[in-house]
Amino acid sequence: MTGVAGGIGLEQARALEERYLMRTYKRSPVDFVRGEGALLWDADGKHYLDFLTGISVCSVGHCHPDVVRAVREQSQQLMHVSNLFYTEPMARLAERLAESSLGGRVFFANSGTEANECAIKIARKHAHGRGIAAPEIVSFENDFHGRSYGALSATPGLAANEALGPMLPGFRSVPRDDPAAMRAAVGPDTAAVLVEPIQGEAGVFPIADEVLLAAREACDAAGALLIFDEIQTGIGRTGSLWAYEQTPVRPDVITSAKALGGGFPIGACITAPVAADALEPGDHGSTFAGGPVATAAALAVLGVVDDPVLLRHVRELGAYLRESLEAIDGVRETRGRGLMVGAALEEGVDAAAVGADLLGRGLVVNVPRPDTLRLLPPLVIDSDHVDQAVGLIGESLLALRG
Ligand code: PLP
């Protein structure tokens, strides 16, 4: 494959950002111009192995031909009409998402945080239907659910930022590893328990089965809904289409986004029958959501990912990636499931420095906490890609540990 240089270049992009963009992101010093499969190219033509996929978005690889074709064909035919009308890709995607999971109904959104807004509305409306005046939602400390005010209020670490306050009332959190605390937090006013089955932004921490079982049992006893935020874990990332399939519980609602569109923005809130009719006309809506191009892209993504052979490959390659990482000097432990992997580094090793060094060596990873690298490669990589990435991580750790 040949490298492709182009774009305005890093220095000019930086200068424009400095003048015109709000200061909400700390970016790494790379200006990407092209992607194909597991590879990215920067404006100087240097190539990178991408073990981040835009934070678990391009799971079928960059510019997958099926997704590109679906977007191109749909955008030549019809891009937008609003939710005042029917369109085929939206109807077909709703069927596919509901039938592949909880069997109820789907609401489309444009992002993960919006998918969670829908789930929060469903939980509150469902609770009001049970006569609860001030419904409460329980989430885990260290969860990440998004940045709009509902999702933010369910994200304790960020909700503590008083400069953005006040947050919405009716949210509380418990430690992620304490089934008794979960049981104690759920009571007659609980509308829902909202969990990330594997906490991604926190550093890849799977929630133990006993905690998920405690949440399920407590919700059943209280009449509350169990909501799984599968925005990072869903769409095959963990080696099943949905992460809940590898747990002992079945949620009542799941939210999806990120990889669902293969790089095209789309979110979805999917219910079981118990919550399918909570929202009625006027309760919720969005101009763009469920548009023909985004839903056509998502149908193409599901055509690739919803395949038992690929999902087995994700489980097997994930196990190989973790084994290979654990064999490197400097890696203390690995966490995760499938190709959602956190590598905790030995004490004293600065993961941020390793992440920056790896970028220079041509490997893109993410550093969600000071001691952890997060790896979210495309699901379609092979063992050679794993060997290359692990080799680079080994070299980097050797260099930085002295
Ligand atoms: N929920 C989880 C588990 C996430 O990882 C994210 C994003 O990282 C979100 C929600 C928010 O999604 P978005 O950034 O698309 O709003």
PDB file of all heavy atoms in Angstrom, residues 28-29 46 350-363 365 367 373 396 400:
ATOM      1  N   SER A  28      -3.444  14.873  20.162  1.00  0.00           N
ATOM      2  CA  SER A  28      -2.076  14.417  19.890  1.00  0.00           C
ATOM      3  C   SER A  28      -1.608  15.065  18.594  1.00  0.00           C
ATOM      4  O   SER A  28      -2.417  15.360  17.718  1.00  0.00           O
ATOM      5  CB  SER A  28      -2.040  12.899  19.742  1.00  0.00           C
ATOM      6  OG  SER A  28      -2.425  12.298  20.955  1.00  0.00           O
ATOM      7  N   PRO A  29      -0.293  15.267  18.464  1.00  0.00           N
ATOM      8  CA  PRO A  29       0.225  16.038  17.331  1.00  0.00           C
ATOM      9  C   PRO A  29       0.285  15.250  16.022  1.00  0.00           C
ATOM     10  O   PRO A  29       1.361  14.972  15.501  1.00  0.00           O
ATOM     11  CB  PRO A  29       1.633  16.426  17.805  1.00  0.00           C
ATOM     12  CG  PRO A  29       2.013  15.321  18.739  1.00  0.00           C
ATOM     13  CD  PRO A  29       0.754  14.841  19.390  1.00  0.00           C
ATOM     14  N   LYS A  46       3.235   9.386   6.482  1.00  0.00           N
ATOM     15  CA  LYS A  46       3.651   8.331   7.417  1.00  0.00           C
ATOM     16  C   LYS A  46       2.437   7.468   7.767  1.00  0.00           C
ATOM     17  O   LYS A  46       1.335   7.995   7.953  1.00  0.00           O
ATOM     18  CB  LYS A  46       4.203   8.993   8.693  1.00  0.00           C
ATOM     19  CG  LYS A  46       4.550   8.013   9.805  1.00  0.00           C
ATOM     20  CD  LYS A  46       5.118   8.728  11.016  1.00  0.00           C
ATOM     21  CE  LYS A  46       5.175   7.802  12.213  1.00  0.00           C
ATOM     22  NZ  LYS A  46       5.644   8.436  13.428  1.00  0.00           N
ATOM     23  N   ASP A 350       4.925   5.548  33.135  1.00  0.00           N
ATOM     24  CA  ASP A 350       3.924   6.570  32.809  1.00  0.00           C
ATOM     25  C   ASP A 350       3.250   6.207  31.478  1.00  0.00           C
ATOM     26  O   ASP A 350       3.854   6.323  30.413  1.00  0.00           O
ATOM     27  CB  ASP A 350       4.644   7.927  32.720  1.00  0.00           C
ATOM     28  CG  ASP A 350       3.727   9.036  32.258  1.00  0.00           C
ATOM     29  OD1 ASP A 350       2.501   8.808  32.167  1.00  0.00           O
ATOM     30  OD2 ASP A 350       4.239  10.145  31.988  1.00  0.00           O
ATOM     31  N   ALA A 351       1.985   5.772  31.578  1.00  0.00           N
ATOM     32  CA  ALA A 351       1.292   5.300  30.367  1.00  0.00           C
ATOM     33  C   ALA A 351       1.165   6.421  29.337  1.00  0.00           C
ATOM     34  O   ALA A 351       1.202   6.157  28.124  1.00  0.00           O
ATOM     35  CB  ALA A 351      -0.081   4.740  30.731  1.00  0.00           C
ATOM     36  N   ALA A 352       1.026   7.668  29.794  1.00  0.00           N
ATOM     37  CA  ALA A 352       0.900   8.776  28.836  1.00  0.00           C
ATOM     38  C   ALA A 352       2.171   8.891  27.998  1.00  0.00           C
ATOM     39  O   ALA A 352       2.115   9.116  26.774  1.00  0.00           O
ATOM     40  CB  ALA A 352       0.617  10.079  29.565  1.00  0.00           C
ATOM     41  N   ALA A 353       3.332   8.718  28.656  1.00  0.00           N
ATOM     42  CA  ALA A 353       4.600   8.785  27.917  1.00  0.00           C
ATOM     43  C   ALA A 353       4.695   7.623  26.935  1.00  0.00           C
ATOM     44  O   ALA A 353       5.170   7.783  25.797  1.00  0.00           O
ATOM     45  CB  ALA A 353       5.776   8.763  28.888  1.00  0.00           C
ATOM     46  N   VAL A 354       4.216   6.451  27.348  1.00  0.00           N
ATOM     47  CA  VAL A 354       4.246   5.285  26.451  1.00  0.00           C
ATOM     48  C   VAL A 354       3.328   5.531  25.249  1.00  0.00           C
ATOM     49  O   VAL A 354       3.695   5.271  24.105  1.00  0.00           O
ATOM     50  CB  VAL A 354       3.835   3.989  27.200  1.00  0.00           C
ATOM     51  CG1 VAL A 354       3.790   2.796  26.256  1.00  0.00           C
ATOM     52  CG2 VAL A 354       4.789   3.723  28.370  1.00  0.00           C
ATOM     53  N   GLY A 355       2.126   6.066  25.526  1.00  0.00           N
ATOM     54  CA  GLY A 355       1.179   6.351  24.435  1.00  0.00           C
ATOM     55  C   GLY A 355       1.775   7.314  23.424  1.00  0.00           C
ATOM     56  O   GLY A 355       1.664   7.109  22.209  1.00  0.00           O
ATOM     57  N   ALA A 356       2.431   8.374  23.914  1.00  0.00           N
ATOM     58  CA  ALA A 356       3.031   9.369  23.017  1.00  0.00           C
ATOM     59  C   ALA A 356       4.186   8.741  22.238  1.00  0.00           C
ATOM     60  O   ALA A 356       4.348   8.975  21.030  1.00  0.00           O
ATOM     61  CB  ALA A 356       3.510  10.574  23.823  1.00  0.00           C
ATOM     62  N   ASP A 357       4.973   7.925  22.919  1.00  0.00           N
ATOM     63  CA  ASP A 357       6.108   7.265  22.256  1.00  0.00           C
ATOM     64  C   ASP A 357       5.609   6.306  21.164  1.00  0.00           C
ATOM     65  O   ASP A 357       6.180   6.241  20.063  1.00  0.00           O
ATOM     66  CB  ASP A 357       6.923   6.501  23.319  1.00  0.00           C
ATOM     67  CG  ASP A 357       8.119   5.797  22.724  1.00  0.00           C
ATOM     68  OD1 ASP A 357       9.054   6.493  22.302  1.00  0.00           O
ATOM     69  OD2 ASP A 357       8.107   4.545  22.651  1.00  0.00           O
ATOM     70  N   LEU A 358       4.521   5.592  21.463  1.00  0.00           N
ATOM     71  CA  LEU A 358       3.972   4.646  20.482  1.00  0.00           C
ATOM     72  C   LEU A 358       3.467   5.369  19.235  1.00  0.00           C
ATOM     73  O   LEU A 358       3.613   4.870  18.118  1.00  0.00           O
ATOM     74  CB  LEU A 358       2.834   3.824  21.118  1.00  0.00           C
ATOM     75  CG  LEU A 358       3.314   2.728  22.072  1.00  0.00           C
ATOM     76  CD1 LEU A 358       2.125   2.130  22.831  1.00  0.00           C
ATOM     77  CD2 LEU A 358       4.054   1.615  21.315  1.00  0.00           C
ATOM     78  N   LEU A 359       2.892   6.533  19.438  1.00  0.00           N
ATOM     79  CA  LEU A 359       2.416   7.307  18.288  1.00  0.00           C
ATOM     80  C   LEU A 359       3.595   7.625  17.365  1.00  0.00           C
ATOM     81  O   LEU A 359       3.512   7.499  16.145  1.00  0.00           O
ATOM     82  CB  LEU A 359       1.725   8.581  18.773  1.00  0.00           C
ATOM     83  CG  LEU A 359       0.877   9.328  17.756  1.00  0.00           C
ATOM     84  CD1 LEU A 359      -0.268   8.458  17.238  1.00  0.00           C
ATOM     85  CD2 LEU A 359       0.320  10.611  18.380  1.00  0.00           C
ATOM     86  N   GLY A 360       4.724   8.006  17.969  1.00  0.00           N
ATOM     87  CA  GLY A 360       5.934   8.275  17.193  1.00  0.00           C
ATOM     88  C   GLY A 360       6.413   7.029  16.459  1.00  0.00           C
ATOM     89  O   GLY A 360       6.964   7.116  15.359  1.00  0.00           O
ATOM     90  N   ARG A 361       6.187   5.854  17.066  1.00  0.00           N
ATOM     91  CA  ARG A 361       6.607   4.587  16.429  1.00  0.00           C
ATOM     92  C   ARG A 361       5.576   4.084  15.424  1.00  0.00           C
ATOM     93  O   ARG A 361       5.752   3.024  14.818  1.00  0.00           O
ATOM     94  CB  ARG A 361       6.810   3.510  17.509  1.00  0.00           C
ATOM     95  CG  ARG A 361       7.977   3.771  18.414  1.00  0.00           C
ATOM     96  CD  ARG A 361       8.020   2.758  19.563  1.00  0.00           C
ATOM     97  NE  ARG A 361       8.964   3.209  20.565  1.00  0.00           N
ATOM     98  CZ  ARG A 361      10.254   2.869  20.589  1.00  0.00           C
ATOM     99  NH1 ARG A 361      10.727   2.039  19.693  1.00  0.00           N
ATOM    100  NH2 ARG A 361      11.047   3.346  21.528  1.00  0.00           N
ATOM    101  N   GLY A 362       4.424   4.785  15.323  1.00  0.00           N
ATOM    102  CA  GLY A 362       3.428   4.392  14.327  1.00  0.00           C
ATOM    103  C   GLY A 362       2.342   3.473  14.850  1.00  0.00           C
ATOM    104  O   GLY A 362       1.746   2.718  14.077  1.00  0.00           O
ATOM    105  N   LEU A 363       2.064   3.521  16.165  1.00  0.00           N
ATOM    106  CA  LEU A 363       0.940   2.739  16.718  1.00  0.00           C
ATOM    107  C   LEU A 363       0.021   3.684  17.483  1.00  0.00           C
ATOM    108  O   LEU A 363       0.469   4.401  18.380  1.00  0.00           O
ATOM    109  CB  LEU A 363       1.463   1.641  17.663  1.00  0.00           C
ATOM    110  CG  LEU A 363       0.372   0.799  18.329  1.00  0.00           C
ATOM    111  CD1 LEU A 363      -0.361  -0.081  17.301  1.00  0.00           C
ATOM    112  CD2 LEU A 363       0.952  -0.083  19.446  1.00  0.00           C
ATOM    113  N   VAL A 365      -2.788   4.203  20.152  1.00  0.00           N
ATOM    114  CA  VAL A 365      -3.498   3.609  21.291  1.00  0.00           C
ATOM    115  C   VAL A 365      -4.078   4.772  22.092  1.00  0.00           C
ATOM    116  O   VAL A 365      -3.900   5.927  21.742  1.00  0.00           O
ATOM    117  CB  VAL A 365      -2.570   2.751  22.194  1.00  0.00           C
ATOM    118  CG1 VAL A 365      -1.931   1.627  21.408  1.00  0.00           C
ATOM    119  CG2 VAL A 365      -1.509   3.615  22.873  1.00  0.00           C
ATOM    120  N   VAL A 367      -4.867   6.314  26.262  1.00  0.00           N
ATOM    121  CA  VAL A 367      -4.408   6.221  27.658  1.00  0.00           C
ATOM    122  C   VAL A 367      -5.525   6.758  28.565  1.00  0.00           C
ATOM    123  O   VAL A 367      -5.578   7.948  28.846  1.00  0.00           O
ATOM    124  CB  VAL A 367      -3.109   7.028  27.849  1.00  0.00           C
ATOM    125  CG1 VAL A 367      -2.608   6.909  29.281  1.00  0.00           C
ATOM    126  CG2 VAL A 367      -2.034   6.545  26.879  1.00  0.00           C
ATOM    127  N   LEU A 373      -2.885   1.421  29.177  1.00  0.00           N
ATOM    128  CA  LEU A 373      -3.105   1.623  27.740  1.00  0.00           C
ATOM    129  C   LEU A 373      -4.417   0.935  27.375  1.00  0.00           C
ATOM    130  O   LEU A 373      -4.666  -0.183  27.830  1.00  0.00           O
ATOM    131  CB  LEU A 373      -1.986   0.972  26.922  1.00  0.00           C
ATOM    132  CG  LEU A 373      -0.548   1.401  27.192  1.00  0.00           C
ATOM    133  CD1 LEU A 373       0.400   0.573  26.299  1.00  0.00           C
ATOM    134  CD2 LEU A 373      -0.345   2.889  26.949  1.00  0.00           C
ATOM    135  N   SER A 396       8.705   0.033  23.074  1.00  0.00           N
ATOM    136  CA  SER A 396       8.481   1.299  23.757  1.00  0.00           C
ATOM    137  C   SER A 396       8.733   1.159  25.266  1.00  0.00           C
ATOM    138  O   SER A 396       9.404   1.996  25.881  1.00  0.00           O
ATOM    139  CB  SER A 396       7.045   1.770  23.491  1.00  0.00           C
ATOM    140  OG  SER A 396       6.798   2.963  24.178  1.00  0.00           O
ATOM    141  N   LEU A 400      11.483   3.103  27.466  1.00  0.00           N
ATOM    142  CA  LEU A 400      11.080   4.071  28.498  1.00  0.00           C
ATOM    143  C   LEU A 400      11.374   3.616  29.915  1.00  0.00           C
ATOM    144  O   LEU A 400      11.455   4.428  30.840  1.00  0.00           O
ATOM    145  CB  LEU A 400       9.591   4.418  28.355  1.00  0.00           C
ATOM    146  CG  LEU A 400       9.251   5.206  27.072  1.00  0.00           C
ATOM    147  CD1 LEU A 400       7.779   5.452  26.968  1.00  0.00           C
ATOM    148  CD2 LEU A 400       9.998   6.528  27.039  1.00  0.00           C
TER     149      LEU A 400
END
